[in-house]
Amino acid sequence: MEIFVLGFFAIGYLVLAGADIGVGMALPYLGRSAGERREVIAAIAPFFLGNEVWLVATGGVLAGLFPRLEGELLHGNHTVVVTLLVAWVVRDMGLWLRGRLPGARWQACWDGAIVAGSWGLALSWGALLSHVLLGIEGPVALLPALVIAALFGTHGLTFAALRLRGTLRARAAVLAGGAGEVRTYALTSVVLVVVGVLAGLRLPLEPGTSGPLLVPVVLTLIPFLVAAQAWVWWTFRHRVSGPSYL
């Protein structure tokens, strides 16, 4: 049961947050003016904080139920993990601060932070998954990391195509082609699930001793988390019609 709980949160994060990471990576392509970039950001505005909860939950489950793996995985990939956290902070600073003040330079600065942070997140996850899946690290891991980043980017583009309208939607749908946005989003989601499952199969998943105490608590919270996520998706199911609060 401990493995199910960890896999549930980790794979959920890859699929859900992979979309907003990918949108951030593609921001210069999708939004070619300040107004367009703000509308693109509005596509992920209602979702990205909720998606990050899944990463926080994954970290908590990892530390609580798999303390040995947490030590090996995080401390053994110290540079990648620190890069991931820095990229996470930079990306979120960009999202929160770009709309706080007017001015082209101010917004361009934080737009750059969103793009750099999103690429940093995608490449960090790519490097971490490459190490787990293929056992490689260092500069040679850049190639598989780029493949994972491309997967995030494709996932984000299809998500943007589902959320945007008009010209922005047409740009975002460039990779969906005749398959359609929903089918392409479902396909990239399945690929991310497969990557997550394969990575999990490569990990030494030996639960610690706190499972009998923590697992019932976590299982009790899962329905509330899923219901909250479903509520957010239902509330913001319509296409973006203008800039958001970000």
Side-chain angles (χ1 to χ4, degrees), residues 15-240:
V15 173
L16 295 171
D20 61 63
I21 292 172
V23 171
M25 293 168 66
L27 183 61
Y29 164 74
L30 291 171
R32 300 177 187 179
S33 67
E36 286 186 348
R37 286 191 289 277
R38 191 171 183 191
E39 195 164 332
V40 172
I41 291 170
I44 60 172
F47 306 102
F48 81 97
L49 277 179
N51 295 341
E52 289 173 350
V53 170
W54 292 71
L55 178 58
V56 174
T58 301
V61 168
L62 190 62
L65 297 179
F66 298 88
R68 181 178 175 184
L69 174 61
E70 186 262 348
E72 294 177 0
L73 189 61
L74 300 187
H75 300 161
N77 295 276
H78 182 263
T79 302
V80 174
V81 172
V82 170
T83 303
L84 190 152
L85 293 175
V86 170
W88 184 7
V89 171
V90 169
R91 195 279 299 259
D92 281 20
M93 286 178 64
L95 289 171
W96 285 115
L97 294 178
R98 77 174 305 279
R100 299 287 81 83
L101 292 176
R105 290 184 179 178
W106 172 271
Q107 293 178 355
C109 171
W110 294 115
D111 284 344
I114 295 169
V115 177
S118 298
W119 275 93
L121 277 169
L123 289 172
S124 298
W125 279 114
L128 190 60
L129 289 169
S130 299
H131 178 67
V132 172
L133 285 168
L134 306 174
I136 58 177
E137 53 187 327
V140 73
L142 181 60
L143 184 58
L146 284 171
V147 174
I148 297 293
L151 176 57
F152 277 120
T154 305
H155 192 53
L157 278 174
T158 55
F159 180 77
L162 290 168
R163 295 280 295 146
L164 297 171
R165 305 178 302 165
T167 302
L168 297 180
R169 178 189 178 189
R171 289 178 195 157
V174 64
L175 296 179
E181 300 143 7
V182 174
R183 288 184 181 179
T184 307
Y185 184 79
L187 176 62
T188 53
S189 298
V190 169
V191 175
L192 284 167
V193 170
V194 171
V195 169
V197 170
L198 291 177
L201 293 175
R202 296 278 295 173
L203 290 172
L205 296 173
E206 299 176 8
T209 58
S210 56
L213 177 64
L214 293 181
V215 168
V217 176
V218 176
L219 290 178
T220 302
L221 294 176
I222 283 178
F224 294 100
L225 176 63
V226 173
Q229 194 79 41
W231 178 79
V232 170
W233 276 68
W234 175 255
T235 302
F236 297 97
R237 64 190 182 281
H238 304 296
R239 293 183 183 276
V240 171

